[in-house]
Every structure is written in structure tokens, then in C-alpha cells.
Amino acid sequence: MRKHPVSLKTLAQALNVSMSTVSRALKNHPDIGPEITKKVQQLAQELQYSPNPLAMGLLKNKTHIIGVIVPDLVTYFFSSIISGIESVAEENGYYIVIRSSYESYEKEKECLENLLKLRVEGIIMCLSQETTDYTHFDRLIEEDMPLVFFDRVCRTAEVDTVVVDNQVAACHITEHFFERGYRRIAHIAGPAQLNITCERIQGYKDGLANMGLDFEDELLVHCDMSIDSATAATRQLLTLPQQPDAIFGVNDTTAFAAMKEIKRQGLRIPTDVALVGFSDEFHATVVEPTLTSIMHPCVEIGQEAAHLFLKKTRAKTKMPAQQVILKTHLVIRDSTVAK
């Protein structure tokens, strides 16, 4: 049978003393005599007693646990951000509990509720692509509980956020296409309600304007960032009477799906259609041709989110919402060789 872990109560009962005496003896408190201290510490060693940080935290209403919610646990993008959060958390004596919303609004609400039941000190998260109602965050905001959004964000006037320079990056992509000789530039965007979608569309339009190109509605299509949806969006663009000669995907997954569909239709990359992604995942270096993409500072995003969280937990008074905007850069590879 499974043995119960040794607790302060176990030690106290064995020595016929109070739990507070045991607790202080383990810390070499001067109020506890050397004889009792020695007995307590010897028994703790014999029974392999280990303090329960969660129980200790609950007593002080400070569990040192951070809840992390991401849209998925599979992609390199989110796993790298989690690594950044975890590194800063560990350095500061915190643990993280990770949940995935699987891009579902209902699942996101469930994850949030379950983490709060675990008595986490606060939440670091990225919104699901289905989320358009943000009232499930009201409780945290009203109670001034630490809450940090990253990448896909909302309520930026009330909540700390970490984002990248989406608009600037998307503008650079469009200008890069133009400089390489491409003129009919299309964009496969994400769900319309997401901040990253709106910002990247605006950057795409800025780039067109800067290069003296007109924006054409038919060259902007939306997808839900899944492979199937991105494939359908690519097919829609390639069936236009005048095909695009360059496509910018809202993320690398979208670009990989576009790459597969372009090849399936017998077209060559970049000779017929140039291609750029956004996030620069590892796979960008192993596909054929290698994918030009915007480098996302993923680990740094996680680290900055964790630092904002810790700053909030240590603040003596309520702090105004802060936004950290990290810079990106375009990594040029074979998918955008000059015409």
C-alpha cells in the first residue's frame, strides 16, 4: 500500500510535542531547547521528512504557483515561451502548472477556473482563437490578482501584456517581397478578432502603401490557423484569375500548409510563388525550400511575462498596466530568392 507522506503532524505525534514546536525546531528557532531541536531533526531525517511547499504556502496565502494557459502544447512556439516562463519562475522559487485551451473558449474558461481552485497566485496566458468575450477575467482584475497576457492579448488598459512589433514586422515582410521583385502580394491572416491578426494586416497594408502598391481585397484571406483552413485559403488565392506571386502567412504553420498546397498544384517556390512565415520555428530550416520567416523571441516573451508577473506579486500598491513590446527580425532563406 502507498505510504502517506511524513508531515509536521506525524513528527509532533511521535515526539508528543506541538506542531509549532516541530516547525520551529526544524528552523533552529532559539525558543526551542537544543535537546528537543536535536530530537526533531533526527526523527525528520530518519523518516525522510520533506516540507510541503503548497501546504506552507496556503498557510501564508502565498503558494508560489503560477498558472500558465496556452492554446496548445505541441508547437515549438508555445513550448519555447513556457521554457522562458519556467526559467524565471524557478530562479525566484516559483512553480508553474500548465494547461492547454486547445484553441477553445469554453476550455479556456475551464482551465482558468481549475487553476484558481488550485490556489495559484495568478495567471500567465495566451488567448484561444475562439475568445471574444473577456468577462471570465473580471474576477482576477477586480481582485488585483496577477494576470499577464502574451502574444494574443486583450484588455491592455487593465492587464500587463507582452507582445512583439507585429505591425512593423508585417510591414517589413511586404517591403521585402517588393524589394525581391514580387508585386502581387497576398496575405493569409488569422481570425479577425485577434490582436495579432489586426496588427499584421495593418503592417501588410502599410508595406503595400510604402511600396506604391494598391491593397486588393481578394488578396487578403482569413483562416483559423489550422493546416486544413490554411490549405483552403491558399487554394482560394491560387484559383484567382491573376494568381499572387508572393504569400505572407500569419504564422509558420499557415506558411507550411501553403507550401504544401503550392507544390501540390505543380508550382515552384519561389519561382512561381514566394513565401514568408511568422515565428521562425525550427521546421523553417528543414523544409524545402527553407522558409523565410519573422524570428519571434519566444523564450524572451516567456521571461518578460514572468518578470511582469513577479513585479505584480511584489508590488505594495496597485500598479498601472504595462505592455512590453519586443522586437523581431526577418530571417531570409530560400523561399524568397529574388526574381
Side-chain angles (χ1 to χ4, degrees):
M1 292 182 65
R2 185 179 178 184
K3 293 182 179 179
H4 291 290
V6 177
S7 64
L8 288 178
K9 186 176 181 180
T10 307
L11 300 177
Q13 289 177 339
L15 297 169
N16 197 27
V17 295
S18 68
M19 288 173 60
S20 62
T21 296
V22 172
S23 177
R24 286 182 290 174
L26 289 169
K27 299 172 184 174
N28 293 306
H29 197 285
D31 288 349
I32 307 301
E35 185 178 348
I36 291 294
T37 296
K38 184 177 180 180
K39 286 182 179 180
V40 169
Q41 293 183 359
Q42 282 182 341
L43 183 62
Q45 187 173 1
E46 289 171 12
L47 298 181
Q48 298 181 321
Y49 166 76
S50 178
N52 184 334
L54 179 57
M56 294 169 67
L58 288 172
L59 289 172
K60 301 176 182 178
N61 201 28
K62 202 165 180 67
T63 59
H64 281 221
I65 299 176
I66 304 171
V68 178
I69 304 174
V70 292
D72 73 66
L73 295 170
V74 178
T75 59
Y76 173 83
F77 178 75
F78 288 116
S79 62
S80 298
I81 291 173
I82 290 170
S83 295
I85 296 171
E86 188 172 40
S87 66
V88 173
E90 286 184 348
E91 287 172 7
N92 290 274
Y94 275 76
Y95 305 88
I96 66 171
V97 178
I98 307 162
R99 295 295 307 272
S100 174
S101 67
Y102 299 100
E103 296 286 13
S104 162
Y105 167 65
E106 291 299 330
K107 187 68 176 178
E108 178 179 286
K109 290 196 296 180
E110 179 187 316
C111 290
L112 182 63
E113 191 61 34
N114 288 339
L115 287 170
L116 294 178
K117 287 177 182 177
L118 285 176
R119 305 286 289 275
V120 297
E121 284 192 27
I123 302 289
I124 298 175
M125 67 175 292
C126 177
L127 297 172
S128 84
Q129 62 176 277
E130 288 185 359
T131 303
T132 55
D133 177 10
Y134 312 121
T135 54
H136 49 307
F137 304 118
D138 286 349
R139 173 184 167 189
L140 284 78
I141 294 170
E142 289 166 3
E143 296 178 3
D144 201 28
M145 183 179 288
L147 173 62
V148 180
F149 291 120
F150 64 84
D151 192 51
R152 307 178 199 166
V153 305
C154 68
R155 302 179 73 162
T156 54
E158 304 164 284
V159 180
D160 291 344
T161 52
V162 181
V163 295
V164 298
D165 54 353
N166 287 297
Q167 187 170 333
V168 171
C171 182
H172 285 167
I173 290 172
T174 310
E175 292 175 348
H176 169 71
F177 278 135
F178 184 89
E179 290 163 358
R180 292 291 172 110
Y182 302 95
R183 296 295 181 267
R184 192 161 169 75
I185 303 166
H187 176 35
I188 301 177
Q193 75 274 9
L194 294 179
N195 64 293
I196 61 170
T197 299
C198 299
E199 291 161 9
R200 292 173 196 176
I201 288 175
Q202 187 57 55
Y204 161 66
K205 291 179 176 179
D206 291 345
L208 292 174
N210 291 346
M211 297 297 102
L213 299 175
D214 293 330
F215 167 71
E216 299 180 46
D217 286 331
E218 65 181 8
L219 292 178
L220 173 64
V221 293
H222 289 267
C223 73
D224 65 11
M225 298 192 287
S226 68
I227 291 174
D228 289 345
S229 181
T231 299
T234 306
R235 196 173 296 130
Q236 179 180 335
L237 290 170
L238 296 180
T239 55
L240 291 173
Q242 187 181 355
Q243 287 184 345
D245 61 359
I247 297 176
F248 153 37
V250 66
N251 61 12
D252 278 4
T253 299
T254 301
F256 295 144
M259 180 178 286
K260 186 174 181 179
E261 180 60 20
I262 291 167
K263 290 180 178 180
R264 191 191 69 79
Q265 294 201 22
L267 300 172
R268 297 163 297 168
I269 303 170
T271 306
D272 299 312
V273 184
L275 194 60
V276 172
F278 203 115
S279 64
D280 196 33
E281 299 199 6
F282 167 75
H283 299 89
T285 65
V286 296
V287 293
E288 179 59 40
T290 53
L291 179 68
T292 296
S293 186
I294 288 288
M295 191 285 298
H296 241 85
C298 299
V299 173
E300 191 179 352
I301 289 172
Q303 292 171 334
E304 290 293 340
H307 284 308
L308 284 177
F309 181 96
L310 293 169
K311 187 182 291 186
K312 183 89 169 180
T313 63
R314 293 164 180 167
K316 303 297 183 183
T317 58
K318 187 170 183 177
M319 298 173 58
Q322 299 181 62
Q323 182 168 77
V324 175
I325 303 175
L326 300 176
K327 292 184 178 181
T328 60
H329 69 266
L330 184 66
V331 181
I332 301 172
R333 299 191 180 94
D334 295 339
S335 67
T336 55
V337 171
K339 272 191 168 183

